[in-house]
Amino acid sequence: MRQIILASVSPRRKEIFKSFGIKFKAIDSGYEEILQKHLTHEQQVVFLAVGKAKAAAKKFPKAIIVSADTMVLFGSKIIGKPKNIKDAEKMLRSFSGKTQIIMTGVAVLDAQTGQVLTHVEKSSLLFKKLTKADIAEYIKHGKPLDKAGGYNLQGYGFNLIQKIDGDFTNNLGLPMGVVYNFLQQLGIKIN
């Protein structure tokens, strides 16, 4: 079987990938992410995912490379990671009772042939009406500083959300239904 490389060191992406029983090696692609202002949000996440895959393919020229780039949108604004706890609290207050879009660009590259399959997966999250106590409790238990928007859906963060529309794994940064289908299209047998 061909080696599968996950061009990400994200703990969440590795955990998702592992849960599907696929043998893989996770690496840092070394790709420098630079936003291209002329691209739409959809084009941007695909551009970055392909860049990560191509960078990883230089190190693993016979492998199948899986990469992704996720963007959190609130209105038309891209939401990054909070700078500090106060910033995380402010973000969560602004999300209360409102919807965010999670957009992930996926690239699966056959490094031997150069064939690359890409897709943009979108899902939406409707936040509950959050009280000060809800936000304080999440800040205390949720480790908000290393996540876009200051939250994640694993563990305590799930308590912030009223409704999810779309692929749950997309909200964690790697829509595995898409990845699985792409691997099959490239002739990779799973299990």
Side-chain angles (χ1 to χ4, degrees), residues 2-5 62-66 108-110 183 186 188:
R2 303 263 307 274
Q3 184 176 28
I4 298 175
I5 301 295
K62 294 184 179 183
I64 299 293
I65 313 292
V66 176
V108 177
L109 169 66
D110 183 331
L183 291 173
L186 292 174
I188 303 301

Side-chain angles (χ1 to χ4, degrees), residues 49-87:
V50 169
K52 293 173 188 179
K54 287 182 176 178
K58 290 178 183 174
K59 301 172 190 173
F60 296 91
K62 294 184 179 183
I64 299 293
I65 313 292
V66 176
S67 64
D69 188 76
T70 300
M71 184 180 289
V72 178
L73 297 171
F74 185 55
S76 61
K77 185 178 176 190
I78 299 170
I79 303 298
K81 295 176 183 176
K83 298 177 199 92
N84 52 43
I85 294 296
K86 291 253 184 252
D87 194 29

Side-chain angles (χ1 to χ4, degrees), residues 128-140:
K128 293 177 182 175
K129 295 268 188 196
L130 301 174
T131 65
K132 284 184 180 183
D134 293 332
I135 293 169
E137 193 68 17
Y138 179 73
I139 296 294
K140 181 179 176 183

